[in-house]
Amino acid sequence: MKAKFDLSEDQNEAELNQNMMASLVGYHCRRASAALDPFSHPRMAAFHLRPGDFAVLSLLRANPDVSQKRVAEGIGVSAPNLAPILDRLESRGLIARERSLSDKRVQTLSLTVDGLPLCREAEKTAAALESEATAMLNGAERRQLIALLQKVYVK
Amino acid sequence: MKAKFDLSEDQNEAELNQNMMASLVGYHCRRASAALDPFSHPRMAAFHLRPGDFAVLSLLRANPDVSQKRVAEGIGVSAPNLAPILDRLESRGLIARERSLSDKRVQTLSLTVDGLPLCREAEKTAAALESEATAMLNGAERRQLIALLQKVYVK
DNA sequence: TATTGTTATACTCTATAACTATA
DNA sequence: TATAGTTATAGAGTATAACAATA
């Protein structure tokens, strides 16, 4: 093993130099995203919802009776990848698929009596975890962070 | 088909209501991350580097001759998942693995004569794309965005 | 015994082509 | 022909267990 004073020869015990990626907004965005991800937390995991599942439930709560097409667009997932998400939620009895009468190609989605309260609780938990994970920001900082992020991706 | 004036009954042609996720910093972080991802851009794709590949090269350029263990920690990837990244870079002749003489368990990584200029060009391209993708931010906004993001994930 | 690195494997997310049933 | 939804499949990222070589 190397002596502690011998740090000029190599970096066995020193910090790594910052590389170029640390100058990119995108890099810090990804790290912050990971730090704020609620799905790795046990309190959120207790709902047994994957990110896509939660996105569907939350969208349906705010937008009752929308078609699968619009849900797919709304949560940014392709139609083929939405199908297994809906299968899972339907088999858990959290959502219902209903064939539209006016156009029998479309299926309309809605939260069930079990799905609605579970969605509410999951949303409350996600909001609480986010609030804890961003406790170092005051209200103004939080609003400004969101405003700057939106400026980057909107349109 | 529905008449255009009949929008009160459903939302076939209306915007979706914002759901709860739009109130979360984490949601906007993910969207901004996606918007800033350089790897989906043709100019970056031309290097045929995956995100992990690029992270390794960039780290090695800033930190010559570090062990695989430290690279894995530095780019936030597990040791088993680092192996195929290094195999790929090594077989392309971009990096070299060298057995340490003092401890024959460790392998020291370095950029080759081909790896260094490719890394430089890839970094230049990534920086240029980021700069274009964040053109709507002025210098002060950019610095503040990074500062706020770091505040969220540091420590 | 502990550590470095490897192999094997599995799970999730994402992307695409081909299919069905309706329009 | 075009659209809504499904199935099948493959790619890439990530996680864990078990192993070999070395300390």
Side-chain angles (χ1 to χ4, degrees):
Chain A
M1 275 296 137
K2 279 214 160 288
K4 283 220 180 78
F5 55 83
D6 188 4
L7 292 174
S8 53
E9 290 271 311
D10 60 28
Q11 298 184 324
N12 278 345
E13 319 197 15
E15 292 285 313
L16 289 174
N17 292 327
Q18 292 244 86
N19 59 36
M20 164 270 178
M21 287 172 59
S23 69
L24 302 178
V25 178
Y27 168 78
H28 300 284
C29 258
R30 262 189 301 109
R31 304 243 353 219
S33 274
L36 296 179
D37 178 19
F39 291 95
S40 46
H41 194 286
R43 255 150 71 204
M44 196 65 190
F47 295 99
H48 303 287
L49 294 172
R50 299 183 195 175
D53 299 345
F54 180 60
V56 168
L57 295 183
S58 200
L59 184 144
L60 288 181
R61 192 163 95 79
N63 302 273
D65 298 306
V66 295
S67 70
Q68 295 194 185
K69 179 137 199 346
R70 300 197 73 211
V71 169
E73 288 165 359
I75 70 169
V77 94
S78 65
N81 292 333
L82 180 61
I85 294 176
L86 299 182
D87 291 345
R88 201 161 45 232
L89 293 172
E90 193 179 29
S91 74
R92 284 179 65 182
L94 300 177
I95 66 164
R97 286 195 248 222
E98 194 179 356
R99 221 23 108 172
S100 163
L101 297 175
S102 54
D103 184 340
K104 282 190 283 194
R105 293 171 305 180
V106 340
Q107 288 192 131
T108 280
L109 301 174
S110 57
L111 294 178
T112 63
V113 279
D114 285 347
L116 178 58
L118 185 135
C119 178
R120 277 210 192 92
E121 284 308 304
E123 286 183 348
K124 264 172 57 181
T125 303
L129 289 172
E130 155 109 3
S131 168
E132 292 165 25
T134 59
M136 69 293 285
L137 302 179
N138 63 38
E141 288 172 324
R142 202 187 131 96
R143 278 188 298 278
Q144 178 154 35
L145 177 50
I146 290 180
L148 289 170
L149 290 169
Q150 279 182 316
K151 212 165 169 179
V152 166
Y153 75 78
V154 167
K155 258 212 300 177
Chain B
M1 273 297 138
K2 278 216 161 283
K4 282 219 181 77
F5 55 83
D6 188 5
L7 292 173
S8 53
E9 291 271 312
D10 58 30
Q11 299 184 323
N12 278 343
E13 319 198 13
E15 292 285 315
L16 290 173
N17 292 327
Q18 293 246 88
N19 60 35
M20 164 271 178
M21 287 174 59
S23 69
L24 302 179
V25 178
Y27 168 78
H28 301 283
C29 257
R30 263 189 302 110
R31 303 246 349 222
S33 274
L36 296 178
D37 177 20
F39 290 96
S40 47
H41 195 286
R43 256 150 72 203
M44 196 65 190
F47 295 99
H48 303 287
L49 294 173
R50 299 184 196 175
D53 299 346
F54 180 60
V56 167
L57 295 183
S58 199
L59 183 144
L60 288 181
R61 191 162 96 78
N63 302 273
D65 298 307
V66 295
S67 71
Q68 294 193 187
K69 178 136 201 341
R70 299 197 72 211
V71 169
E73 288 164 359
I75 71 170
V77 95
S78 65
N81 292 334
L82 180 61
I85 294 176
L86 299 182
D87 291 345
R88 201 161 46 232
L89 293 173
E90 194 179 29
S91 73
R92 284 179 65 183
L94 300 177
I95 65 164
R97 286 195 246 222
E98 194 179 357
R99 219 27 104 172
S100 163
L101 297 174
S102 55
D103 183 342
K104 282 189 281 193
R105 292 172 305 181
V106 340
Q107 289 193 129
T108 279
L109 302 174
S110 57
L111 294 178
T112 63
V113 278
D114 286 345
L116 178 57
L118 185 135
C119 178
R120 277 210 193 93
E121 285 307 305
E123 286 183 348
K124 263 172 57 182
T125 302
L129 289 172
E130 154 108 4
S131 169
E132 292 164 26
T134 59
M136 69 293 285
L137 302 179
N138 63 37
E141 288 173 324
R142 204 187 129 96
R143 279 188 297 278
Q144 177 153 36
L145 177 49
I146 290 180
L148 289 170
L149 290 169
Q150 280 183 315
K151 212 165 169 180
V152 167
Y153 74 78
V154 168
K155 259 217 297 180

